[in-house]
Amino acid sequence: MTTIQNFDDFVKVHGLLLAASGIPESLYFQLFQKLSSEIFDGGNYFQIELCEEGRQRRLVFTSEFMAKEANVFLVDHAWTFRLPDGPKQLEEIPGLAERMAALMCVEGNPTGDLDEGTHDLNENGKQLNVEEILVEEIHKAKERGDEYVQWLELEELEIDDALLLSLDLPGRFPNLIALSLCGNNIKNVETLLDEITKLRNLRALWLNDNPVVSSCDHHMTHTIIQSFPKLEIFNSHFTGNYGDWALGYCGGICGKDNTSFQQSQHPLQSVTSLDLSNRNIRNLINKAFSPAQLPCLSYLNLRGNPLEENSVNDLLSVLKKLPSLNSLEVDIPGPLGGSAVEILESLPNLFLLNGVKASKIFDAEKHVVDSMLQPRLPEWTSDDSLVDRVLDAMWLYLMNYRLADEEKIDETSVWYVMDELGSALRHSDEPNFRVSPFLYMPDGNLSSAVSFSILWPVQDVQKGDECTRDFLFGIGEDKQRSARLTAWYHTPKNYFIKAYERYLQMLKEKHFTSPSTESSKVPSLLQSGGSLLRVYTDIPQVQEFLTRPEFLITNEPEDADIIWTSMQVDEDTKKAVGITDEQYINQFPYEACLVMKHHLAETVQKARGSPEWLQPTYNLEKHLTELIGDFCVRQRDGVDNLWILKPWNMARTIDTTITSNLSAIIRLMETGPKICQKYIERPALFRGKKFDLRYIVLVRSMNPLEIFLSDVFWVRLSNNAYSLDKHSLFEYETHFTVMNYRGRLNHMNTPEFVREFELEHQVKWVDIHQRIKNMIRSVFEAAAAVHQEMHSPKSRAMYGLDVMLDSSFRPKLLEVTYCPDCTRACTYDTISLFGDGGEVKARDFFNNVFGCLFLNETAKVTQL
């Protein structure tokens, strides 16, 4: 190993890291100087500022100028951890939770708990009461030379039904055109209607955040709108009567200080910007909204409006005729269609669509674009502990890397939070800085490594510029960039929900007819008077326990009749080892459709759609959009939204995470390809603990389908009482059951478990077992139907099927495992619960397996 003495040593030791980081070679020497001397000089160039009303930080450049790639900065890591250790570190390391809470802006009171302090005050700084506000409004009207008050804002003044009546607003202000009573305590519908329907000239009425609104029905809304023929805005929504007044209000030319704008012949001709977002507009096209009335309109925001009374073509036609319109914001998909490109082709005069240049949209061929997305900001209540706040907010700040040396790559990723300076860098699609993790090894080896992040400018920056980075550097639309931005931004839910609904409909349309069960057509390998069957295996249990006289263990693969291996055997392996097409092998072609989690879900969905025994499952590399839509629908409907993320092809729950945080789901894609599956939140429990079942399936043939279920199956128990407490989601021994490799293994004999389970839940295991058998056959029927290339006359195989029961004792498929670990089957004697009901000796397990697969026997197995 080379201890770093000079720059040449630095480059020699870190050459691969430097190349992978993307740091320009011109900055290598400067980086070496700062690393070797631990120079953190970012404070001389940057300043951290609060933004988003104190709920986020941003980084501002404070020097006069810095050229592209002219400097490099070290950023320290404030917190480095592996996911399961996160909660414990926050609780036990002094000051860590407090520092992270401050860095993530979650240390104070929730925004909703803050006193906005927007009430009218008198000259002594005290809040005015209702009567004082009314007197003041009359006085202001007289000062302006108005004969009467036309606009009243009586908000958050604790006005109840009795006080509303006593104010006599219709008698004192008969010419009101706008009245806001937001945030009061008005409850009685009859009292409200009797009083306000006397105000016949109202154009706008706001009753938001009153109890009467939350308890009222469509009838009250209809009555109010019918009672006011001139009403154009009700509770911030446009009525069907909207016209010049409502458009003028949204265009900023009509308001409390300008109530007489309609006296001109063409009141809207000066409007250049019109924000109509979230106004519940159903019909955009009327006399007021027209090219003639809005000749100067250059910016229009139509987000959040259904516009269902207009066709796409009619809307595009009227927008195309607006002579000055060059910037449009609209939901995509939405009332103008589902493609940004198609909208721009229909409106060629647009320069900006949802804040993005038209040329950029055409170049990228984007269908969904939005640069005006609102950032996701941490949400919490005053009852949440600092630890809980940080665990929710951290996904907006975390970065990760994975350690590796010459021999192997680490199985789990390291997550980290940059220090206050680094964490203040916000996202931009066109950033002026780039950040990359870097391991500095002063002694020339991994054990001496210290992790930093390296920051350098990729554009020229001027004093006052906000410093940004691309959170998804190197990730384009081919890797679902727009959808992945949902981790940090509120992206258009409607787009994702519609994609999910289309996907769900496709699954519902699947129909599958199970093939009839045929009698055995696969002959025994051992013919009368034939020689012994030679078996090559690299599995110690088979070498030890395959003791039948019909089989002979051999150490040479090329001499074997049967290859029984834990390795995946492809064509290259066959050539290297000398395996021929005449030898039998314990795997089927393309069995990945069963044993890789994303392929398993895809296989079942192609054949059967969405059977009740398969939880909703998404391959995040292909169906992130649909997963986000499903998440949004569940969130909207207030139903369970806990998910489990599993790597495609990792065992022993490595890199497996349980979360209800959408940002976490998306960010966890960074550590490798995964499926996201709906978590079974209410499983059947045994003595208050979670469990699953491992079944052994033997496959003689895929066409015709000939499969058997071993009489030997076993239960796997978690060690802790089941809980959905937030912190418990990080506890392996609460939510997982595989204890062979970590945790404490508690084996329970299967017959004993079944007896106690039947007593605890008052159920019959025979009924549960039948449902499980039906499910298992359905899985293999799906594989045989979708992947006919699986069939091979020279294949026989054993698979492990992991099953969980929900609280209604319905089976749920967890996964299918190739060449499963059968240590328990070879260790513990048991009693067959089905079949002959006799004793099953552990030492005979593989004798029975090989007898079934190669000799056509059915001892200790059940054909499915």
Side-chain angles (χ1 to χ4, degrees):
M1 295 296 177
T2 304
T3 301
I4 307 300
Q5 300 289 340
N6 52 49
F7 177 63
D8 290 338
D9 292 340
F10 172 74
V11 174
K12 180 180 178 181
V13 169
H14 299 91
L16 290 176
L17 288 170
L18 288 166
S21 69
I23 301 167
E25 286 190 37
S26 59
L27 295 176
Y28 284 5
F29 185 72
Q30 190 180 149
L31 175 62
F32 162 66
Q33 290 181 312
K34 292 192 176 184
L35 283 169
S36 56
S37 301
E38 295 189 4
I39 298 174
F40 294 88
D41 57 345
N44 298 330
Y45 299 85
F46 307 101
Q47 179 176 310
I48 299 170
E49 294 181 352
L50 286 173
C51 57
E52 300 294 340
E53 299 180 340
R55 299 176 67 192
Q56 201 176 58
R57 287 178 166 83
R58 66 176 191 157
L59 193 66
V60 177
F61 187 68
T62 54
S63 291
E64 292 300 322
F65 175 79
M66 184 179 292
K68 172 183 176 180
E69 299 180 357
N71 209 334
V72 65
F73 301 94
L74 300 186
V75 177
D76 204 0
H77 292 172
W79 181 27
T80 302
F81 64 103
R82 298 183 192 269
L83 277 184
D85 304 325
K88 187 175 181 181
Q89 288 187 10
L90 288 169
E91 290 168 350
E92 295 182 357
I93 298 176
L96 178 61
E98 290 76 11
R99 182 181 181 185
M100 290 299 103
L103 183 151
M104 298 174 188
C105 300
V106 295
E107 78 276 29
N109 292 320
T111 304
D113 292 350
L114 299 178
D115 184 359
E116 299 295 333
T118 57
H119 302 295
D120 292 314
L121 304 177
N122 63 20
E123 59 186 10
N124 297 319
K126 294 183 178 180
Q127 182 179 328
L128 299 177
N129 61 36
V130 184
E131 192 58 43
E132 289 172 333
I133 290 173
L134 296 179
V135 170
E136 187 172 277
E137 289 298 329
I138 294 171
H139 177 70
K140 288 179 180 178
K142 289 180 179 178
E143 284 185 338
R144 292 193 301 265
D146 295 336
E147 296 182 27
Y148 35 73
V149 175
Q150 291 186 290
W151 195 296
L152 268 182
E153 295 178 0
L154 305 176
E155 300 176 353
E156 298 182 3
L157 294 169
E158 300 182 2
I159 298 173
D160 57 16
D161 300 319
L163 182 54
L164 179 64
L165 284 174
S166 69
L167 293 176
D168 187 23
L169 297 180
R172 298 167 69 181
F173 307 99
N175 297 299
L176 277 180
I177 63 172
L179 172 63
S180 176
L181 293 168
C182 295
N184 286 295
N185 194 31
I186 300 168
K187 298 179 180 178
N188 190 279
V189 175
E190 288 74 19
T191 299
L192 176 69
L193 290 175
D194 287 346
E195 195 66 8
I196 64 171
T197 50
K198 300 171 187 175
L199 297 166
R200 307 298 297 176
N201 294 316
L202 276 185
R203 297 293 186 98
L205 174 63
W206 292 277
L207 299 172
N208 311 64
D209 301 322
N210 276 280
V212 71
V213 173
S214 59
S215 62
C216 78
D217 55 17
H218 177 72
H219 175 70
M220 188 195 87
T221 301
H222 179 74
T223 301
I224 289 176
I225 292 175
Q226 291 298 311
S227 301
F228 298 100
K230 297 180 181 180
L231 194 68
E232 298 187 29
I233 297 177
F234 176 57
N235 283 353
S236 303
H237 290 168
F238 280 17
T239 72
N241 301 323
Y242 85 89
D244 291 349
W245 195 92
L247 294 175
Y249 173 74
C250 292
I253 61 172
C254 167
K256 186 174 182 180
D257 298 324
N258 183 16
T259 57
S260 59
F261 87 107
Q262 284 182 299
Q263 293 177 2
S264 61
Q265 187 174 358
H266 300 289
L268 301 176
Q269 287 210 339
S270 63
V271 173
T272 60
S273 177
L274 193 55
D275 185 352
L276 301 181
S277 59
N278 301 308
R279 294 291 178 180
N280 200 36
I281 301 171
R282 302 183 181 279
N283 183 1
L284 182 66
I285 304 169
N286 67 12
K287 185 177 179 180
F289 190 91
S290 67
Q293 294 297 317
L294 295 162
C296 298
L297 184 65
S298 62
Y299 168 82
L300 175 64
N301 188 341
L302 293 174
R303 295 176 186 272
N305 292 293
L307 300 176
E308 76 268 26
E309 295 180 17
N310 304 124
S311 69
V312 172
N313 288 337
D314 287 344
L315 288 169
L316 290 171
S317 177
V318 73
L319 294 176
K320 188 174 182 179
K321 293 175 183 176
L322 292 170
S324 302
L325 185 66
N326 59 44
S327 179
L328 174 67
E329 294 192 38
V330 65
D331 296 330
I332 305 175
L336 297 186
S339 168
V341 172
E342 292 175 6
I343 292 172
L344 288 173
E345 289 172 344
S346 301
L347 302 174
N349 292 332
L350 285 185
F351 176 71
L352 294 174
L353 177 59
N354 289 354
V356 180
K357 291 181 181 179
S359 57
K360 185 175 180 181
I361 294 171
F362 281 126
D363 290 343
E365 296 183 349
K366 285 189 174 183
H367 293 287
V368 181
V369 294
D370 204 328
S371 71
M372 308 300 288
L373 300 174
Q374 294 301 307
R376 287 188 182 274
L377 300 172
E379 297 179 358
W380 73 95
T381 69
S382 54
D383 293 332
D384 291 336
S385 68
L386 278 186
V387 170
D388 286 337
R389 298 181 193 184
V390 171
L391 290 174
D392 279 338
M394 68 184 185
W395 296 103
L396 303 174
Y397 296 90
L398 287 178
M399 299 177 73
N400 66 83
Y401 57 83
R402 186 169 288 187
L403 296 172
D405 57 24
E406 296 85 353
E407 297 180 357
K408 65 175 184 176
I409 187 169
D410 203 343
E411 290 179 330
T412 58
S413 294
V414 175
W415 293 85
Y416 64 94
V417 177
M418 291 188 290
D419 66 14
E420 285 74 5
L421 186 147
S423 292
L425 287 158
R426 299 199 298 174
H427 169 76
S428 173
D429 284 340
E430 298 177 351
N432 48 17
F433 280 83
R434 185 174 163 189
V435 173
S436 182
F438 191 85
L439 289 179
Y440 177 52
M441 297 179 282
D443 293 340
N445 53 49
L446 195 58
S447 61
S448 68
V450 182
S451 64
F452 298 94
S453 286
I454 309 302
L455 173 69
W456 71 96
V458 293
Q459 301 290 341
D460 294 348
V461 284
Q462 309 277 349
K463 185 174 184 177
D465 287 349
E466 181 178 355
C467 304
T468 58
R469 67 180 179 92
D470 185 350
F471 287 178
L472 292 169
F473 180 79
I475 296 175
E477 286 305 319
D478 60 323
K479 295 183 179 178
Q480 308 176 99
R481 179 182 177 88
S482 293
R484 290 173 76 158
L485 277 174
T486 305
W488 298 278
Y489 290 92
H490 291 285
T491 47
K493 289 184 179 180
N494 187 49
Y495 169 75
F496 298 105
I497 290 174
K498 285 187 179 297
Y500 160 68
E501 289 172 344
R502 289 193 298 269
Y503 181 73
L504 187 62
Q505 184 59 37
M506 178 198 71
L507 294 179
K508 288 180 178 178
E509 291 172 355
K510 298 288 184 182
H511 299 286
F512 186 84
T513 302
S514 295
S516 59
T517 304
E518 300 184 31
S519 59
S520 175
K521 293 183 178 179
V522 179
S524 169
L525 269 63
L526 190 64
Q527 301 300 318
S528 176
S531 59
L532 300 181
L533 294 172
R534 291 164 296 176
V535 178
Y536 170 80
T537 182
D538 57 3
I539 300 173
Q541 292 162 341
V542 178
Q543 294 170 350
E544 180 179 358
F545 294 110
L546 182 58
T547 57
R548 293 184 59 145
E550 298 93 336
F551 299 95
L552 177 67
I553 300 294
T554 177
N555 294 325
E556 301 299 331
E558 60 269 24
D559 295 336
D561 300 299
I562 300 168
I563 305 292
W564 192 276
T565 176
S566 59
M567 294 173 52
Q568 287 290 320
V569 178
D570 55 21
E571 291 303 317
D572 291 337
T573 305
K574 285 183 178 181
K575 290 178 182 178
V577 178
I579 299 174
T580 70
D581 292 338
E582 298 305 312
Q583 293 172 294
Y584 288 84
I585 190 165
N586 68 325
Q587 52 197 253
F588 281 84
Y590 207 76
E591 66 183 8
C593 73
L594 288 169
V595 301
M596 293 187 72
K597 298 178 186 69
H598 61 306
H599 287 321
L600 172 62
E602 186 178 69
T603 298
V604 172
Q605 290 163 350
K606 279 184 177 179
R608 297 181 174 273
S610 184
E612 69 170 5
W613 43 263
L614 180 69
Q615 290 289 92
T617 304
Y618 299 90
N619 176 0
L620 293 181
E621 297 299 304
K622 292 174 61 176
H623 295 301
L624 176 61
T625 293
E626 291 78 7
L627 175 276
I628 294 172
D630 192 346
F631 189 98
C632 291
V633 167
R634 292 174 183 275
Q635 189 177 58
R636 178 195 68 193
D637 297 344
V639 298
D640 295 342
N641 223 347
L642 194 62
W643 298 80
I644 183 167
L645 290 96
K646 308 175 185 178
W648 282 357
N649 198 27
M650 295 279 274
R652 311 196 309 273
T653 64
I654 293 168
D655 200 19
T656 299
T657 307
I658 303 165
T659 183
S660 59
N661 186 315
L662 182 57
S663 295
I665 291 172
I666 299 170
R667 297 297 312 282
L668 284 161
M669 293 173 65
E670 298 168 24
T671 64
K674 292 180 178 63
I675 63 165
C676 185
Q677 191 170 68
K678 186 67 192 64
Y679 193 60
I680 304 169
E681 294 180 326
R682 285 176 287 280
L685 302 177
F686 179 66
R687 300 174 181 171
K689 297 176 181 178
K690 193 174 174 180
F691 69 91
D692 66 20
L693 305 161
R694 165 61 64 86
Y695 283 84
I696 300 299
V697 179
L698 308 178
V699 182
R700 281 188 195 161
S701 169
M702 291 298 293
N703 184 20
L705 187 62
E706 194 172 347
I707 57 177
F708 299 81
L709 190 64
S710 170
D711 287 355
V712 177
F713 69 95
W714 55 92
V715 62
R716 302 185 298 191
L717 300 163
S718 62
N719 289 330
N720 298 338
Y722 182 68
S723 169
L724 287 176
D725 177 76
K726 234 180 230 183
H727 288 203
S728 82
L729 301 182
F730 292 85
E731 295 172 357
Y732 183 87
E733 296 188 47
T734 299
H735 288 272
F736 298 104
T737 61
V738 180
M739 302 297 166
N740 305 54
Y741 313 99
R742 57 193 287 194
R744 184 181 71 259
L745 175 62
N746 289 317
H747 175 73
M748 187 174 192
N749 192 277
T750 302
E752 180 187 356
F753 163 77
V754 169
R755 282 195 303 272
E756 292 196 24
F757 188 86
E758 288 181 325
L759 285 172
E760 180 178 346
H761 295 287
Q762 294 300 298
V763 294
K764 293 182 178 179
W765 190 263
V766 66
D767 297 331
I768 295 171
H769 187 66
Q770 186 59 51
R771 289 194 287 268
I772 292 172
K773 289 197 300 180
N774 293 341
M775 180 195 75
I776 292 174
R777 179 163 179 93
S778 296
V779 172
F780 285 88
E781 286 177 346
V786 174
H787 297 287
Q788 295 181 13
E789 65 271 30
M790 278 191 75
H791 177 63
S792 167
K794 294 294 184 178
S795 293
R796 307 283 191 274
M798 175 176 71
Y799 299 99
L801 243 89
D802 295 338
V803 179
M804 188 171 286
L805 303 178
D806 67 12
S807 57
S808 298
F809 313 109
R810 295 171 299 193
K812 301 287 184 178
L813 176 65
L814 300 183
E815 65 177 302
V816 179
T817 305
Y818 161 74
C819 201
D821 181 351
C822 293
T823 301
R824 295 202 205 193
C826 297
T827 303
Y828 302 101
D829 295 341
T830 187
I831 302 296
S832 174
L833 294 173
F834 306 97
D836 61 13
E839 184 179 17
V840 182
K841 291 289 186 181
R843 65 175 181 269
D844 288 333
F845 176 75
F846 275 107
N847 287 332
N848 294 329
V849 167
F850 274 68
C852 174
L853 290 177
F854 300 107
L855 304 181
N856 279 22
E857 297 176 351
T858 55
K860 307 304 179 186
V861 298
T862 303
Q863 185 167 8
L864 299 179

